[in-house]
Amino acid sequence: GAGVSQTPSNKVTEKGKYVELRCDPISGHTALYWYRQSLGQGPEFLIYFQGTGAADDSGLPNDRFFAVRPEGSVSTLKIQRTERGDSAVYLCASSTVPGPYFSEQFFGPGTRLTVL
Amino acid sequence: EDKVVQSPLSLVVHEGDTVTLNCSYEVTNFRSLLWYKQEKKAPTFLFMLTSSGIEKKSGRLSSILDKKELFSILNITATQTGDSAIYLCAVNRDDKIIFGKGTRLHILP
């Protein structure tokens, strides 16, 4: 079935490098979310897109993190000058109805980022 | 500050036992409470609760919300080894979902 897909599944990089993480949402889902999950923690909200625009980016930890969704479908999370503390599983989710009117968020398998 | 607190953080029981997982919250602009099961990477949706006192059931799983006391419980009866997972509680507020740290449940055969 055509669920949410994320690539790569694993990414190992060195401190200071730039990485891009990709999310392909379910076709037709207008809302797309990025979360970060560190070991022993629940997913932490990063950013939410409604269509092409970032409706809420208040969860991005600092200006090294940036995300785009230029055509309202695929999204890329970009991390500059990676730090060891960025190591985590980055989860993407999509849903049909955006914002406060909840509809089920379908999660992708995540990208495990390891910064050495 | 918004928070979602789950307890216990981990739980080990024998197959066939009944477990109760707890979730308390302090969140502004509460809209709904959600339960997810996370086995490997992707959380999968279990329940959404919006009204107090109305139990949601799915097979051996059930959940209820108390909006006055700001908590929810997730019950699993006749546990099976396949129930071993992290169970995440989350609260939907505005356009964000705030997750708790999860309860790691391990079912011994």
Side-chain angles (χ1 to χ4, degrees):
Chain A
V4 179
S5 62
Q6 292 186 245
T7 54
S9 56
N10 284 284
K11 176 70 177 178
V12 180
T13 191
E14 293 179 341
K15 181 174 177 292
K17 299 290 189 183
Y18 168 82
V19 296
E20 289 190 352
L21 312 178
R22 176 186 168 109
C23 172
D24 274 274
I26 292 172
S27 178
H29 280 193
T30 56
L32 184 147
Y33 307 79
W34 283 100
Y35 296 88
R36 176 170 71 174
Q37 188 171 22
S38 301
L39 196 61
Q41 305 291 320
E44 172 194 14
F45 170 82
L46 296 177
I47 186 170
Y48 145 61
F49 286 91
Q50 182 175 331
T52 60
D56 185 343
D57 64 357
S58 61
L60 295 177
N62 51 60
D63 61 7
R64 295 186 298 106
F65 288 75
F66 188 70
V68 295
R69 195 185 185 199
E71 297 178 1
S73 178
V74 170
S75 177
T76 304
L77 178 66
K78 308 181 181 193
I79 310 174
Q80 298 177 318
R81 305 183 304 280
T82 51
E83 300 177 357
R84 293 195 180 88
D86 298 335
S87 296
V89 174
Y90 288 81
L91 293 165
C92 175
S94 70
S95 70
T96 52
V97 177
Y101 306 102
F102 174 79
S103 68
E104 180 181 346
Q105 289 189 11
F106 294 84
F107 282 83
T111 294
R112 182 178 298 279
L113 175 66
T114 303
V115 182
L116 301 176
Chain B
E1 183 182 337
D2 293 336
K3 59 182 179 181
V4 178
V5 179
Q6 292 186 247
S7 64
L9 290 180
S10 66
L11 186 58
V12 181
V13 300
H14 288 279
E15 203 168 21
D17 288 350
T18 293
V19 297
T20 298
L21 309 183
N22 304 292
C23 176
S24 64
Y25 62 92
E26 291 179 30
V27 174
T28 55
N29 300 321
F30 172 91
R31 297 200 179 267
S32 58
L33 186 141
L34 313 164
W35 284 97
Y36 287 85
K37 179 181 182 182
Q38 187 173 29
E39 293 180 82
K40 291 188 177 176
K41 285 185 181 176
T44 54
F45 175 78
L46 295 175
F47 296 113
M48 180 180 78
L49 303 158
T50 55
S51 301
S52 277
I54 298 175
E55 186 182 53
K56 292 277 184 95
K57 282 182 71 73
S58 176
R60 296 176 293 102
L61 278 65
S62 63
S63 183
I64 198 161
L65 173 67
D66 185 328
K67 290 171 74 173
K68 182 179 176 186
E69 300 297 330
L70 307 183
F71 79 90
S72 173
I73 59 172
L74 175 68
N75 279 320
I76 309 175
T77 59
T79 52
Q80 302 171 359
T81 55
D83 295 328
S84 296
I86 297 172
Y87 289 83
L88 295 166
C89 173
V91 173
N92 182 29
R93 53 143 287 184
D94 297 335
D95 53 9
K96 285 182 192 168
I97 293 182
I98 301 169
F99 283 86
K101 292 186 178 183
T103 293
R104 185 179 293 273
L105 177 64
H106 185 64
I107 309 298
L108 298 171

